[in-house]
């Protein structure tokens, strides 16, 4: 059964028309949409950990972890479970509600999967939401992860189908959509978005959002990354994206996928605080929190806490299933949204 306000049939020309609106009109529409579905003064916070770093066989031109490029990254084996748990505990203590574990794999191997499943179980037992991004998944692998209790699986479409071949040649757009289908089929929540600032045309940004917004259901989590330009990668000298174009993409994502969390994802270290504030105004309501992304820097946690405090934005925190419902005055539609996943905003640590 679908919400009456949700659409999954967005046409490219409609999306391009949203991008073409005067900036203030677009932000006004996005903020109105945001307030119908969320508390506009809360963001969800996730902490990332690279559980297996570098020497990836894929050739994603943006990625410091691809074995095809000399980025000076020290490659590492799969981390020991206890090291992962220690990081997850630290993230929880710092106030994160979700712990996202990433591996530089094309897809997980049968040899590595048991340890990964144990990580899911142990991190979940800490009361954190769990997310993993391990590359392509076969249906059985998705089923095993779901059974271990994995809440979210991240697998990005990255860019438009038309521009994709300029960025990655070792796996196809269809492969990515297939993995998203397998994740959904297994009953996990989908986290999927893309990267802006890779030299794509405005039409590609609209087409990426069209791909995401025509998935049914929409991904629950939509990370919008700004390219982190890493020396040694083919995109190290990509031209900077106009910050207003980045904010526009956030606003359009918010309008197209009103009930999804839109994450102002990688690239915040290089982004001004006023631009980040505009992204929140445009409807971004999730961030990566903690001093590192996977292999590159993220703003210091303390700095983020200060920024959010200056903006009057609280952490949206999920705890165990017996957590009380939202404690602030929430619009009726919002209580409905969170009926299955109780949130509260107590841990403003
Ligand atoms: N290897 C797995 C995969 O690609 O499916 C999971 C890890 S991979 C690093 C996860 C995502 O990080 C990529 O899909 C990409 O969207 C994002 N990413 C990687 N390098 C980035 C960069 N330099 N700037 C912005 N986003 C990046
Ligand atoms: C996503 O969309 N962005 C994150 C997460 N999903 C896995 C990764 C960003 C990586 C940025 C480059 C790095 O730190 O290696
Ligand atoms: Fe490998 Fe993922 Fe990086 Fe692509 S984005 S090179 S698949 S780690």
């Amino acid at each position: 059964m679908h919400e009456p306000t949700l659409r999954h049939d967005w046409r490219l020309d409609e999306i391009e028309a949203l991008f073409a609106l005067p900036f203030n009109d677009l932000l006004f529409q996005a903020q109105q949409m945001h307030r119908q579905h969320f508390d506009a003064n809360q963001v969800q916070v996730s902490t990332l950990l690279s559980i297996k770093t570098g020497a990836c066989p894929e050739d994603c031109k943006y990625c410091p972890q691809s074995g095809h490029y000399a980025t000076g990254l020290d490659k590492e084996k799969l981390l020991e479970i206890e090291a992962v748990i220690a990081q997850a505990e630290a993230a929880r203590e710092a106030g994160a509600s979700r712990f996202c574990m990433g591996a530089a794999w094309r897809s997980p191997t049968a040899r590595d999967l048991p340890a990964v499943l144990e990580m899911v179980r142990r991190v979940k037992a800490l009361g954190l939401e769990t997310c993993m991004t391990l590359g392509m998944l076969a249906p059985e692998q998705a089923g095993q992860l779901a059974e271990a209790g994995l809440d979210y699986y991240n697998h990005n479409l990255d860019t438009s189908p038309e521009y994709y071949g300029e960025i990655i040649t070792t796996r196809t757009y269809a492969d990515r959509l297939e993995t998203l289908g397998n994740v959904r089929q297994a009953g996990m929540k989908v986290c999927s978005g893309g990267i802006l600032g890779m030299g794509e045309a405005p039409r590609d940004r609209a087409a990426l959002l069209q791909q995401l917004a025509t998935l049914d259901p929409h991904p629950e989590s939509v990370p919008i990354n700004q390219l982190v330009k890493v020396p040694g990668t083919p995109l190290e000298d990509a031209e900077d994206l106009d910050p207003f174009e980045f904010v526009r993409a956030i606003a359009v994502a918010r309008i197209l996928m009103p009930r999804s969390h839109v994450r102002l994802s990688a690239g915040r270290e290089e982004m001004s605080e006023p631009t980040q504030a505009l992204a929140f105004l445009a409807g971004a309501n999730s961030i990566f929190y903690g001093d590192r992304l996977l292999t590159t820097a993220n703003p210091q946690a303390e700095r983020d806490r200060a920024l959010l405090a200056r903006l009057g934005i609280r952490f949206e925190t999920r705890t165990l299933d017996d957590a009380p419902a939202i404690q602030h005055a929430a619009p009726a539609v919002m209580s409905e949204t969170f009926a299955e996943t109780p949130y509260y905003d107590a841990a403003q640590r």
Side-chain angles (χ1 to χ4, degrees):
M1 197 173 63
H2 290 147
E3 304 283 344
T5 54
L6 292 189
R7 280 185 55 191
H8 303 273
D9 60 352
W10 286 96
R11 294 191 321 269
L12 189 62
D13 62 305
E14 292 178 296
I15 299 174
E16 288 183 302
L18 287 171
F19 270 100
L21 284 171
F23 188 77
N24 286 348
D25 290 352
L26 175 59
L27 258 69
F28 183 63
Q29 259 197 51
Q31 178 65 200
Q32 275 183 313
M33 189 62 97
H34 192 43
R35 283 171 184 269
Q36 282 173 37
H37 298 281
F38 289 99
D39 180 328
N41 300 310
Q42 280 197 346
V43 296
Q44 184 275 330
V45 294
S46 294
T47 294
L48 271 172
L49 176 68
S50 180
I51 58 170
K52 192 272 161 191
T53 303
C56 183
E58 304 295 289
D59 70 352
C60 312
K61 286 199 171 68
Y62 48 76
C63 188
Q65 302 203 68
S66 166
H68 295 257
Y69 319 122
T71 58
L73 196 70
D74 288 335
K75 59 177 182 192
E76 285 170 17
K77 289 201 303 231
L78 185 62
L79 294 182
E80 297 292 335
I81 291 180
E82 296 309 326
V84 174
I85 298 309
Q87 296 286 330
E89 278 172 344
R92 187 187 61 176
E93 290 316 303
S97 63
R98 190 177 309 157
F99 194 63
C100 304
M101 294 157 270
W105 288 328
R106 174 175 166 83
S107 58
T109 62
R111 186 168 60 96
D112 288 320
L113 206 56
V116 163
L117 297 175
E118 186 59 12
M119 288 174 194
V120 173
R121 289 188 280 263
R122 294 275 308 274
V123 172
K124 206 175 166 67
L126 298 175
L128 284 160
E129 289 183 320
T130 50
C131 176
M132 285 204 158
T133 179
L134 314 170
M136 294 189 284
L137 288 187
E140 315 77 66
Q141 295 177 313
Q144 286 173 287
L145 286 163
E147 203 185 323
L150 188 64
D151 297 304
Y152 288 80
Y153 193 78
N154 167 250
H155 197 64
N156 290 337
L157 293 179
D158 280 347
T159 189
S160 68
E162 295 75 20
Y163 195 59
Y164 184 84
E166 301 290 318
I167 303 295
I168 299 139
T169 69
T170 48
R171 63 184 173 207
T172 66
Y173 214 79
D175 289 334
R176 290 189 184 250
L177 290 168
E178 195 177 315
T179 289
L180 293 183
N182 294 339
V183 169
R184 189 54 91 189
Q185 196 65 36
M188 288 181 284
K189 295 191 180 111
V190 171
C191 173
S192 188
I195 309 178
L196 310 186
M198 299 194 293
E200 74 283 353
R203 186 193 173 284
D204 294 308
R205 294 192 277 277
L208 164 67
L209 294 183
Q210 183 191 24
Q211 288 292 324
L212 296 166
T214 50
L215 293 173
D216 188 4
H218 293 153
E220 283 80 2
S221 168
V222 181
I224 305 291
N225 298 277
Q226 175 175 276
L227 175 69
V228 180
K229 298 182 213 174
V230 179
T233 61
L235 291 178
E236 65 175 314
D237 293 323
E239 208 168 305
D240 278 341
L241 185 64
D242 175 356
F244 299 137
E245 287 307 309
F246 184 86
V247 172
R248 277 179 189 278
I250 298 264
V252 174
R254 167 51 62 225
I255 292 166
L256 303 183
M257 295 168 277
R259 286 186 179 268
S260 304
H261 277 78
V262 175
R263 180 172 307 121
L264 171 55
S265 195
R268 289 195 303 114
E269 177 71 357
E270 295 76 20
M271 201 178 281
S272 75
E273 291 188 334
T275 300
Q276 294 183 54
L278 272 181
F280 295 132
L281 188 66
N285 61 348
S286 172
I287 57 168
F288 284 125
Y289 171 67
D291 306 349
R292 284 195 90 64
L293 292 164
L294 290 173
T295 67
T296 65
N298 197 42
Q300 300 282 313
E302 199 178 323
R303 186 138 183 231
D304 272 344
R305 284 197 297 271
L307 173 65
L308 295 178
R310 283 161 67 206
L311 298 173
I313 295 177
R314 303 180 303 278
F315 283 19
E316 172 193 294
T317 307
R318 181 178 195 276
T319 60
L320 300 168
D321 286 343
D322 60 357
I326 308 157
Q327 291 178 342
H328 53 81
V333 65
M334 189 173 147
S335 329
E336 230 173 77
T337 311
F338 293 145
E340 295 172 6
T341 50
Y343 283 75
Y344 80 120
D345 58 355
Q348 194 58 97
R349 302 175 213 207

